[in-house]
Amino acid sequence: MLLTLISRAELDITEVALSRVTDEFIAYLRAMGPEGDLDEASEFLVVAATLLDMKIAGLLPQGELVDAESVALLEARDLLFARLLQYRAFKEVSAWFARCLQREDRRHTRTVRLDEKYRSAVPELKWTLSADDFAALAVVAMAPKQVPTVGLDHLHAPLVSIREQAAIVVTLLRSAGTLNFRDLVAGVTETGVVVARFLSILELYRHAALSFEQLEPLGELTLRWTAERWSEENLAALGADYDR
């Protein structure tokens, strides 16, 4: 009852005299004698310890936090309230289990044979498979499963040079003037080459050698060659950061 009242903010924990509650409970245990219920006594100890911790936390100063110790004390108080809610939840769940078990005690399984009207309604079982069919199914079911393996091909994939792919991009753009990225990677099947050509486009854009346009998100990427002066020296230094 005390836990319920305090959790509903209908009673201030600091106004509860826990010593009086403890004295009355000790007197109650003495009246019960040695044959008393140990579970009931243990339950009281849990409740009393929770109330005592809550009272200690409730008496803490509520002023400005000045150190980590005060923060830890307030966190401990919140933990006590959470423990209170958890305790009440366990009590409610145990009561629900008790009610369900009591209700199920009145249920008994039916041990008589199935009524004739229901037995006649069951369709007659007809075998459509031969012994060879069952043998084939058994072979498939008992065949050892293939052990899964992890492919290592991606670890030994050939390296793709950004500089070489940039040279191809420069040649195609200088000859065509304008190309979209789809045409620029047409016929390429290796993912690494596609990535290398895209990185080379970014490098060429950083050197102001080309411009690109994309009218909508995830739309067609149109590339246009804009460099007026371009030499092999510029190409030699392209993609050096990716070769490290």
Side-chain angles (χ1 to χ4, degrees), residues 146-151:
Q146 184 177 4
V147 179
T149 58
V150 179

Side-chain angles (χ1 to χ4, degrees), residues 38-229:
L38 185 59
D39 292 337
E40 186 176 355
S42 301
E43 181 177 319
F44 171 80
L45 292 178
V46 174
V47 176
T50 304
L51 289 172
L52 183 60
D53 290 344
M54 291 176 61
K55 188 168 184 177
I56 294 174
L59 293 175
L60 292 176
Q62 304 296 323
E64 183 179 358
L65 302 179
V66 294
D67 53 13
E69 185 178 358
S70 299
V71 176
L73 291 175
L74 292 179
E75 291 179 352
R77 184 185 63 180
D78 296 336
L79 181 61
L80 292 175
F81 281 106
R83 187 188 303 170
L84 166 64
L85 296 176
Q86 184 183 32
Y87 174 77
R88 188 169 65 180
F90 275 109
K91 293 287 291 183
E92 293 179 357
V93 170
S94 62
W96 179 83
F97 274 113
R99 292 193 301 269
C100 291
L101 291 175
Q102 185 179 5
R103 184 175 61 250
E104 294 298 325
D105 286 342
R106 298 191 295 268
R107 298 175 182 260
H108 302 280
T109 57
R110 189 168 182 262
T111 57
V112 299
R113 60 180 297 177
L114 191 65
D115 293 342
E116 189 62 33
K117 61 178 180 179
Y118 297 116
R119 296 181 61 187
S120 60
V122 177
E124 183 181 357
L125 181 60
K126 295 182 179 180
W127 295 103
T128 58
L129 298 178
S130 63
D132 294 335
D133 296 332
F134 281 109
L137 291 175
V139 170
V140 175
M142 292 185 292
K145 297 183 179 179
Q146 184 177 4
V147 179
T149 58
V150 179
L152 302 177
D153 297 339
H154 61 287
L155 299 178
H156 306 284
L159 299 178
V160 181
S161 172
I162 302 294
R163 190 176 297 105
E164 294 177 0
Q165 298 302 319
I168 298 176
V169 171
V170 169
T171 302
L172 294 176
L173 283 178
R174 294 184 71 177
S175 61
T178 301
L179 279 178
N180 57 43
F181 186 75
R182 192 184 306 276
D183 296 334
L184 198 62
V185 296
V188 178
T189 58
E190 296 83 0
T191 305
V193 175
V194 176
V195 174
R197 292 193 182 183
F198 181 77
L199 293 177
S200 65
I201 291 173
L202 297 181
E203 287 294 309
L204 291 170
Y205 177 78
R206 190 174 67 171
H207 289 78
L210 57 80
S211 63
F212 55 82
E213 182 181 34
Q214 193 174 35
L215 300 179
E216 58 182 0
L218 303 179
E220 198 70 47
L221 184 64
T222 303
L223 309 171
R224 183 176 296 103
W225 183 260
T226 58
E228 297 180 358
R229 297 180 180 178

Side-chain angles (χ1 to χ4, degrees), residues 6-21:
I6 294 171
S7 62
R8 294 179 180 175
E10 297 178 4
L11 180 64
D12 189 359
I13 183 62
T14 58
E15 298 179 359
V16 179
L18 296 182
S19 60
R20 181 177 178 182
V21 177

